């Protein structure tokens, strides 16, 4: 659903107005425009019916069908459907490539298909071929941009790509040069903003921009307000509800997530998205409603036929049992982790890593620390602060618990605007876990980096962002590194 691309451009003087009928081969009929919008809203059956009424050779029908199949596959997550999808990918690319090269849609649609396929391949653990998809899409988009610089849809994916490239640190930039990829964050942000003006692809560019802001850059109250306003104006768009819920859960806005989950469109024209069951479970876990969270994690496990997020679901189900005093059920849930699903997503990797540690120590988490984590992650800072006062040194039995205590305390102090206490706590967390593979040290380093960045103390910020990147093999390395890299580039440390 998200794009990263670059294109060739032709006939610059002829592009003062971009129409949907650049050439006879590329007839973006009103029916197919409607189908495209329906896919983006996640009304998949409606989109497929609309597309099916058009000629099978129409490239926009080919693209819409690939788009819809991508979303269905991400939702069902089954190997048979994945193999069928890969067969369709080659057929669809061939069908478009043979059409009029004088249209900017030739390269654009092929790049979109390659990027959608990359997302699917990542979901199924085929990262090498996914990377090749992205590189091929990038070349197509760069070519399109040169040939058709006024063609706005190109910048939706090109902007995303440039932001990702711009977040790569200095010591890895040789790889980009080898691949011939260039770009920076400011350029990418500007290009995404430009793409939002496109009548047909503007909403996708907007969604991509929100996604990048949270998961690569920083998502603040301004972006949050814009996202909520977008949802109010497009209440029938399930894509925006999905993203807003994911961002709310990730950015300590749990009450907002609960409201969004209630408001999300759910009539029969939308598919039942399994990820929303997990989101509801997570929201109740963060709120401390362990019975409802347990019910929802169990529901996901029973109903989902794919392999993604099963390890995470069993891990969190175990936490619910543990926090309600049922250690037997907690142990039974943990015992399922190694035998279910796959560990491609960070959350599944984290669950697997927890199980590996538990299998050696047979120690379950400190309950008060766990409640502090959930309260803080949900944005319930008063509750987290109160729980902090209930812990003393003698309650923290292991070095890991002590490191986590100071990391959690740092997060609470940070959110309650007690900067000095937050910095001291983060530094203590780094000191206690610097030589371990726990995520407390890199995450604390990232937060201290943000503090100095906001204060304009560039060198101190640089030092802590580089420290965050330096830690190896922790379960959140990908997300911590990408945010630290983006911050370094944003400050100009990207030579």
């Amino acid at each position: 659903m998200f794009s990263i691309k670059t294109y060739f451009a032709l006939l610059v003087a002829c592009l003062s107005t971009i129409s949907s009928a650049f050439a006879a081969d590329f007839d973006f009929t009103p029916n197919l425009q409607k189908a495209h919008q329906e896919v983006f809203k996640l009304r998949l059956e409606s989109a497929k019916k609309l597309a099916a009424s058009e000629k099978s050779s129409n490239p926009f029908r080919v693209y819409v069908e690939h788009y819809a199949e991508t979303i269905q596959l991400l939702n069902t997550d089954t190997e048979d459907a994945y193999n069928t999808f890969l067969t369709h990918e080659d057929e669809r690319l061939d069908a478009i490539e043979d059409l009029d090269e004088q249209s900017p849609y030739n390269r654009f649609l092929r790049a979109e298909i390659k990027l959608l396929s990359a997302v699917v391949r990542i979901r199924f653990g085929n990262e090498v071929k996914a990377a090749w998809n992205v590189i091929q899409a990038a070349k197509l988009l760069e070519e399109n941009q040169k040939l058709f610089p006024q063609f706005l849809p190109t910048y939706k994916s090109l902007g995303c790509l440039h932001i990702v490239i711009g977040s790569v640190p200095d010591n890895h930039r040789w790889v980009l040069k080898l691949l011939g990829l260039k770009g920076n964050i400011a350029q990418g942000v500007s290009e995404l903003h430009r793409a939002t003006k496109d009548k047909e692809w503007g909403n996708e560019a907007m969604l991509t921009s929100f996604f990048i802001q949270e998961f690569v850059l920083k998502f603040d109250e301004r972006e949050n307000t814009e996202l909520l306003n977008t949802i109010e104006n497009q209440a029938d768009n399930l894509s925006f509800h999905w993203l807003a819920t994911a961002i709310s859960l990730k950015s300590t806005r749990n009450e907002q997530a609960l409201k969004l989950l209630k408001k999300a469109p759910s009539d029969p024209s939308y598919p039942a998205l399994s990820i929303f069951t997990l989101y509801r479970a997570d929201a109740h876990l963060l709120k401390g409603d362990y019975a409802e969270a347990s019910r929802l994690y169990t529901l996901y496990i029973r109903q989902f036929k794919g392999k993604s997020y099963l390890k995470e679901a069993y891990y969190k189900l175990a936490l619910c049992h543990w926090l309600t005093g049922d250690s037997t059920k907690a142990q039974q849930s943990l015992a399922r982790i190694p035998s279910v699903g796959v560990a491609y997503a960070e959350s599944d990797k984290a669950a697997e890593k927890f199980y590996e540690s538990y299998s050696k120590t047979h120690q379950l988490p400190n309950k008060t620390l766990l409640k502090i984590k959930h309260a803080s992650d949900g944005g319930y800072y008063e509750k987290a602060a109160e729980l902090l006062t209930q812990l003393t040194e003698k309650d923290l039995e292991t070095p890991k618990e002590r490191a986590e205590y100071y990391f959690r305390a740092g997060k609470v102090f940070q959110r309650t605007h007690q900067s000095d206490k937050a910095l001291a706590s983060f530094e203590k967390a780094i000191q206690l876990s610097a030589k371990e593979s726990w995520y407390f040290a890199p995450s604390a380093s990232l937060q201290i980096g943000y503090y100095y960045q906001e204060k304009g103390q560039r060198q101190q910020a640089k030092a802590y962002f580089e420290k965050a990147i330096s830690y190896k093999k922790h379960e959140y390395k990908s997300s911590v590194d990408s945010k630290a890299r983006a911050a370094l580039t944003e400050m100009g440390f990207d030579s």
Side-chain angles (χ1 to χ4, degrees):
M1 219 183 314
F2 309 106
S3 312
I4 307 175
K5 322 153 195 169
T6 22
Y7 272 25
F8 254 94
L10 252 176
L11 305 175
V12 175
C14 299
L15 293 175
S16 57
T17 301
I18 303 295
S19 78
S20 63
F22 258 87
D25 284 342
F26 290 88
D27 185 13
F28 202 4
T29 67
N31 203 38
L32 283 166
Q33 290 179 41
K34 174 67 173 175
H36 175 232
Q37 294 304 318
E38 289 289 274
V39 175
F40 182 59
K41 291 178 181 179
L42 304 186
R43 287 176 170 162
L44 304 184
E45 293 306 316
S46 170
K48 287 190 291 185
K49 287 178 182 177
L50 287 165
S53 66
E54 299 285 340
K55 293 179 180 178
S56 60
S57 59
N58 188 308
F60 292 101
R61 172 178 171 174
V62 171
Y63 168 67
V64 164
E65 288 176 341
H66 194 77
Y67 195 170
E69 194 172 332
T70 296
I71 295 169
Q72 283 184 315
L73 183 52
L74 292 174
N75 187 38
T76 58
D77 200 25
T78 58
E79 288 287 345
D80 288 344
Y82 176 54
N83 293 329
T84 301
F85 175 87
L86 296 180
T87 301
H88 289 167
E89 175 193 7
D90 292 335
E91 295 170 353
R92 288 161 179 164
L93 287 169
D94 290 343
I96 296 174
E97 186 174 8
D98 292 338
L99 301 178
D100 191 343
E101 290 190 359
Q102 303 304 306
S103 170
Y105 285 112
N106 182 299
R107 295 165 185 82
F108 174 71
L109 293 179
R110 283 191 286 142
E112 291 290 308
I113 286 175
K114 287 179 181 292
L115 288 168
L116 291 169
S117 298
V119 172
V120 170
R121 283 190 163 98
I122 289 171
R123 177 67 168 265
F124 282 82
N126 197 339
E127 295 181 355
V128 173
K129 287 193 175 180
W132 181 237
N133 274 147
V134 172
I135 292 166
Q136 291 175 312
K139 298 301 182 184
L140 286 167
L141 288 166
E142 287 171 351
E143 186 178 353
N144 219 42
Q145 188 269 333
K146 290 175 184 176
L147 291 170
F148 304 96
Q150 303 303 316
F151 184 68
L152 295 183
T154 297
Y155 296 98
K156 168 179 70 80
S157 303
L158 188 58
C160 183
L161 174 64
H162 285 157
I163 291 169
V164 172
I165 291 171
S167 65
V168 174
D170 297 354
N171 60 332
H172 287 92
R173 298 193 81 75
W174 66 270
V175 178
L176 301 179
K177 291 179 181 178
L178 184 66
L179 298 173
L181 301 176
K182 299 178 181 178
N184 61 65
I185 291 172
Q187 176 186 6
V189 170
S190 175
E191 288 167 339
L192 270 177
H193 178 71
R194 185 178 180 185
T196 62
K197 308 302 181 184
D198 185 78
K199 180 180 178 181
E200 187 63 34
W201 268 270
N203 272 334
E204 290 182 33
M206 191 185 307
L207 183 138
T208 302
S209 181
F210 285 129
F211 180 88
I212 287 287
Q213 201 66 46
E214 167 57 30
F215 293 95
V216 179
L217 305 176
K218 286 182 69 179
F219 189 86
D220 59 23
E221 283 305 316
R222 180 177 63 82
E223 281 87 23
N224 188 58
T225 299
E226 289 179 2
L227 180 53
L228 294 179
N229 288 338
T230 300
I231 289 174
E232 288 298 319
N233 295 329
Q234 301 187 47
D236 65 340
N237 192 313
L238 189 55
S239 284
F240 278 117
H241 277 86
W242 161 77
L243 182 63
T245 304
I247 288 176
S248 299
L249 289 168
K250 187 92 165 58
S251 62
T252 69
R253 295 178 173 91
N254 197 56
E255 288 300 312
Q256 178 173 293
L258 287 164
K259 291 177 183 177
L260 288 167
L261 286 165
K262 289 180 181 179
K263 291 171 59 177
S266 59
D267 65 62
S269 65
Y270 300 91
L273 298 181
S274 55
I275 193 66
F276 275 92
T277 303
L278 270 186
Y279 287 164
R280 291 186 178 91
D282 287 347
H284 285 284
L285 175 62
L286 295 178
K287 195 172 177 67
D289 185 354
Y290 305 124
E292 180 63 6
S294 294
R295 185 187 73 80
L296 290 165
Y297 287 127
T298 302
L299 182 64
Y300 179 82
I301 290 165
R302 287 176 178 171
Q303 292 185 343
F304 187 57
K305 305 304 180 185
K307 296 182 179 181
S308 298
Y309 312 120
L310 286 173
K311 294 179 186 294
E312 175 191 0
Y314 271 111
Y315 165 62
K316 290 179 177 176
L317 180 59
L319 297 184
C320 291
H321 291 315
W322 174 236
L323 289 169
T324 52
D326 195 334
S327 59
T328 300
K329 284 187 177 180
Q331 291 164 359
Q332 289 171 346
S333 296
L334 287 174
R336 296 299 307 277
I337 291 174
S339 62
V340 300
V342 292
Y344 300 144
E346 276 196 342
S347 55
D348 284 320
K349 290 177 183 177
E352 195 168 62
K353 187 168 183 178
F354 178 88
Y355 174 79
E356 289 170 359
S357 174
Y358 169 76
S359 65
K360 295 174 185 175
T361 65
H362 299 288
Q363 287 186 324
L364 289 166
N366 180 293
K367 289 183 180 179
T368 305
L369 270 180
L370 198 53
K371 291 178 181 179
I372 292 169
K373 174 188 179 334
H374 293 156
S376 180
D377 288 350
Y380 306 112
Y381 301 116
E382 289 186 6
K383 179 180 178 181
E386 181 184 347
L387 288 165
L388 274 173
T389 64
Q390 298 176 15
L391 282 176
T392 64
E393 282 286 335
K394 71 177 189 308
D395 297 317
L396 306 171
E397 299 179 356
T398 66
K400 185 175 183 179
E401 286 183 354
R402 289 189 284 275
E404 182 175 1
Y405 169 82
Y406 284 105
F407 175 71
R408 302 294 171 208
K411 295 280 281 186
V412 173
F413 291 138
Q414 180 187 47
R415 293 292 185 167
T416 53
H417 309 292
Q418 301 178 71
S419 298
D420 290 343
K421 288 184 177 180
L423 290 175
S425 295
F426 284 141
E427 290 286 8
K428 188 70 172 177
I430 292 170
Q431 176 189 339
L432 290 170
S433 59
K435 295 181 180 180
E436 305 291 343
S437 59
W438 311 324
Y439 67 89
F440 310 127
S443 295
S445 299
L446 180 68
Q447 296 306 319
I448 296 176
Y450 283 144
Y451 171 81
Y452 285 122
Q453 183 184 22
E454 290 173 2
K455 294 293 183 182
Q457 296 175 253
R458 289 165 44 82
Q459 292 303 320
Q460 291 95 322
K462 178 176 183 289
Y464 277 98
F465 287 136
E466 289 176 343
K467 180 188 281 286
I469 293 170
S470 71
Y471 294 99
K472 311 296 182 185
K473 296 183 180 179
H474 60 90
E475 56 264 47
Y476 297 114
K477 183 167 179 60
S478 177
S479 57
V480 169
D481 283 13
S482 66
K483 285 181 175 290
R485 290 167 181 169
L488 285 168
T489 306
E490 188 179 9
M491 292 190 298
F493 297 112
D494 59 348
S495 58

